[in-house]
Amino acid sequence: MRVTTAPTTLLAACALLAVTACTSGGDGRADAEPSASPAAVRPGAAASRAALVPPTRDQLERAALTGGDLSGFQVLSGRGGIAPEGRPVSDREECGPLADAMGDRVDPRALHTAERGLGSLESLGLAVSVSLGSYRPADADDVLKGIERALAVCGDGFRATLDGSDAAYRAVRRDPFAARGADDAVGWTATCSAKGLDMVLHLVVVREGAAVVRFMALDLAGAKPSRVPQQVVDEQLAKLGRVLAG
């Protein structure tokens, strides 16, 4: 799925990360290999067995979605070429956890990460970035608590910069999301303004034991507010649960 220059520029400034499913270049590659399909394991059960063990880099890569896991989506691995990797910096310290969620790591304390970009083949323009992170258990728990604290005080917005890109986030609102079987989950929306354009982002961050998964959706076509598809969250958490259960 190709995007025009204006949405691509806005995406780079707003998301401050690469949604590789909607790039035509960069280092992302199509990932069409179907994953193994062992008997389904409830993610919560897997977390209870491995909650004190941070997932390894190999586990995160094996747990990340592939083209064979989802119908109706193109799945690419890696970041792609839209924006540089790194940590966005908020102009308000208390809003830092929300700015971090826009970067390549939901929190700088991540031990390992694995990223995937999804482009919808049915709702053209819908792009979803998925980032899986491994944390020490106490850090994983604190990541979501930090986001909750930030949402309580940052509703009127903040600005974030990364490597020269600057964006304003306003109308930051909680948006509860049902992440089945997860230990904890938080969702929110924000309107990003950059380069004279606006874009509505929808983010969901989920904790499963010592793993934290960030989903971010945006509509590059700008036709309607974006939503993280329930199907994407369900499939990702189920696969993560299977991998962690061994």
Side-chain angles (χ1 to χ4, degrees):
M1 176 170 58
R2 248 173 224 279
V3 297
T4 62
T5 301
T8 301
T9 302
L10 177 60
L11 174 59
C14 283
L16 298 176
L17 53 84
V19 180
T20 56
C22 291
T23 67
S24 56
D27 60 2
R29 66 180 186 277
D31 200 345
E33 289 282 332
S35 63
S37 300
V41 175
R42 179 178 173 82
S48 67
R49 294 172 53 189
L52 300 180
V53 181
T56 65
R57 186 185 304 277
D58 177 68
Q59 285 179 311
L60 293 182
E61 286 294 338
R62 288 190 288 115
L65 292 171
T66 70
D69 297 317
L70 286 170
S71 61
F73 288 89
Q74 180 188 14
V75 181
L76 289 87
S77 59
R79 292 190 181 92
I82 287 182
E85 62 182 282
R87 183 184 184 187
V89 178
S90 171
D91 65 339
R92 297 174 60 187
E93 183 177 358
E94 64 271 26
C95 302
L98 302 181
D100 284 338
M102 307 290 177
D104 58 354
R105 296 178 178 226
V106 180
D107 186 277
R109 291 170 289 183
L111 303 174
H112 310 291
T113 59
E115 295 83 24
R116 294 294 183 267
L118 285 68
S120 176
L121 302 176
E122 299 171 357
S123 299
L124 297 183
L126 174 62
V128 183
S129 170
V130 183
S131 175
L132 295 86
S134 172
Y135 294 81
R136 295 179 179 85
D139 290 341
D141 184 57
D142 192 56
V143 167
L144 274 80
K145 289 180 178 178
I147 290 174
E148 291 279 9
R149 290 192 294 267
L151 286 172
V153 298
C154 298
D156 56 346
F158 60 96
R159 301 189 70 88
T161 59
L162 172 63
D163 198 21
S165 295
D166 178 83
Y169 299 89
R170 54 185 172 81
V172 180
R173 301 289 183 267
R174 293 178 184 272
D175 191 348
F177 192 93
R180 302 183 182 97
D183 293 324
D184 201 359
V186 59
W188 71 99
T189 59
T191 299
C192 173
S193 299
K195 310 296 183 181
L197 300 172
D198 290 343
M199 179 177 288
V200 177
L201 309 177
H202 181 217
L203 294 97
V204 175
V205 177
V206 178
R207 182 178 66 82
E208 189 60 57
V212 174
V213 187
R214 190 280 325 280
F215 304 86
M216 182 170 68
L218 58 163
D219 180 12
L220 295 176
K224 57 184 179 180
S226 52
R227 295 285 303 173
V228 173
Q230 187 75 51
Q231 173 195 7
V232 172
V233 176
D234 290 347
E235 291 291 341
Q236 179 60 87
L237 295 184
K239 188 174 184 182
L240 176 62
R242 292 194 295 269
V243 171
L244 295 182

